[in-house]
């Protein structure tokens, strides 16, 4: 009976790990499968667990063919999942004394203004990228006096509804939507230490309606591809992408030559949503499990530090990155 229960548990672990590998390798179209992609990092521990249980069955069982097949499949899945997760933990890290730019991005639909202003001050932030900002919420933030530290801005003038706002220590040379009707904004900065830098404040739709999520990501990709071709300045992408590094749209963006900050400094899995008790299921608060907020850099830039921050009252963690020019 124990062997039967172990075999069932092995099948569940290996099968679930296989399903997570499948959704990682493909580009699912249904909402639930798109959401399932956020759990792909669980595929590695599930594959390892399945391999250990299958090995035990091989060692003690008379019928070894089934467990042996399960063991081989589990080991293959473990290798695949490990390859996907490894860059977050191992690889070259960069340290430098070069001039740097500190970027903080926060989905600001909810949150305490004083807490955000304190984080910007404590971490010596140069550029603050805010998504889903309401006029009322923005007014609360400006009332903290954050404009003294970050006097330059874009997005304030058209924040009639939920919008995108960038506050900066560095003068803003220009700002336009990434594409017609986009919440994502292309902001040109000219820093006296780093030279001209382009910051793209990215906000894409959540996958609640898969067709709109996919279409928004396709337009975002097309806009970023044109930007990479049209300008010679270094580019920083920061914001709420509503996709993890395992989602196909994010892999397409990485394919344009951008590198994720967490990858560059091996900061490990850094889920950013949901936080602050905003998501509850069956009366239980859902912990953060989805790394959907990111900072990415073009090849001329590198990241020396990256972290997530808990800002009181928000439903997303903020992402902080210290960025410098390579060479």
């Amino acid at each position: 009976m124990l062997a039967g229960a172990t075999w069932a548990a092995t099948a569940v672990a290996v099968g679930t790990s296989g399903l997570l590998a499948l959704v990682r390798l493909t580009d699912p179209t249904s909402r639930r499968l798109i959401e399932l992609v956020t759990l792909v990092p669980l595929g590695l521990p599930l594959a390892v667990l399945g391999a250990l249980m299958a090995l035990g069955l091989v060692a003690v069982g008379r019928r070894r063919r089934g467990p042996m097949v399960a063991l081989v499949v589990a080991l293959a899945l473990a290798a695949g999942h490990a390859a996907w997760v490894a860059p977050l933990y191992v690889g070259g890290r960069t340290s430098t004394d070069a001039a740097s730019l500190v970027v903080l991005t926060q989905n600001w639909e909810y949150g305490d203004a004083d807490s955000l202003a304190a984080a910007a001050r404590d971490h010596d932030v140069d550029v603050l990228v805010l998504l889903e900002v309401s006029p009322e919420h923005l007014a609360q933030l400006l009332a903290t006096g954050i404009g003294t530290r970050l006097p330059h801005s874009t997005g304030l003038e058209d924040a009639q509804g939920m919008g995108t706002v960038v506050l900066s220590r560095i003068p803003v040379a220009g700002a336009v939507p990434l594409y017609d009707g986009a919440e994502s904004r292309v902001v040109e900065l000219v820093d006296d230490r780093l030279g001209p830098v382009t910051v793209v404040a990215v906000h894409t739709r959540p996958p609640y309606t898969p067709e709109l999520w996919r279409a928004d990501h396709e337009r975002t990709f097309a806009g970023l591809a044109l930007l990479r071709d049209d300008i010679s300045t270094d580019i920083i992408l920061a914001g709420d992408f509503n996709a993890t590094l395992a989602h196909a749209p994010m892999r397409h963006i990485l394919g344009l030559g951008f590198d994720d900050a967490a990858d560059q400094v091996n900061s490990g899995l850094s889920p950013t949503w949901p936080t602050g008790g905003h998501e509850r299921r069956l009366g239980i608060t859902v912990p953060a499990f989805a790394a959907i907020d990111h900072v990415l850099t073009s090849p001329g830039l590198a990241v020396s530090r990256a972290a997530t921050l808990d800002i009181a009252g928000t439903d997303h963690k903020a992402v902080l990155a210290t960025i410098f020019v390579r060479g």
Side-chain angles (χ1 to χ4, degrees), residues 23-29 33-35 37 202 204-207 210-222 224-225 237 241-258 294 296:
V23 295
R24 165 62 173 76
L25 291 168
T26 58
D27 189 5
T29 57
L33 290 180
I34 291 170
E35 292 173 340
V37 176
V202 179
T204 59
R205 291 175 178 268
E211 297 80 8
L212 296 179
W213 175 80
R214 187 175 305 281
D216 201 9
H217 271 286
E218 288 173 353
R219 288 193 291 268
T220 298
F221 173 83
L224 293 175
L237 312 182
F241 291 73
N242 272 303
T244 71
L245 297 180
H247 283 97
M250 280 301 297
R251 300 204 305 273
H252 296 159
I253 291 174
L254 294 174
L256 292 173
F258 293 101
H294 306 273
L296 293 86

Side-chain angles (χ1 to χ4, degrees), residues 57-137:
L57 289 170
V58 168
V60 302
R62 293 180 179 177
R63 296 183 178 180
R64 298 185 179 181
R65 183 175 179 182
M68 183 61 73
V69 170
L71 176 61
V72 171
V73 172
L75 291 174
L77 287 169
H81 282 291
W84 295 330
V85 172
L88 289 169
Y89 292 93
V90 297
R93 293 194 56 162
T94 306
S95 60
T96 179
D97 294 325
S100 60
L101 190 71
V102 180
V103 175
L104 181 67
T105 180
Q106 173 71 70
N107 184 303
W108 191 236
E109 182 178 4
Y110 311 102
D112 177 70
D114 290 324
S115 179
L116 179 59
R121 180 180 62 252
D122 293 345
H123 293 279
D124 207 18
V125 168
D126 297 303
V127 180
L128 177 60
V129 176
L130 302 175
L131 301 315
E132 291 199 81
V133 184
S134 69
E136 296 78 15
H137 211 184

Side-chain angles (χ1 to χ4, degrees), residues 262-281:
D263 267 6
Q264 292 183 54
V265 300
N266 312 133
S267 62
L269 294 171
S270 305
T272 60
W273 182 89
T275 62
H278 286 273
E279 291 289 322
R280 296 180 64 84
R281 297 292 185 272

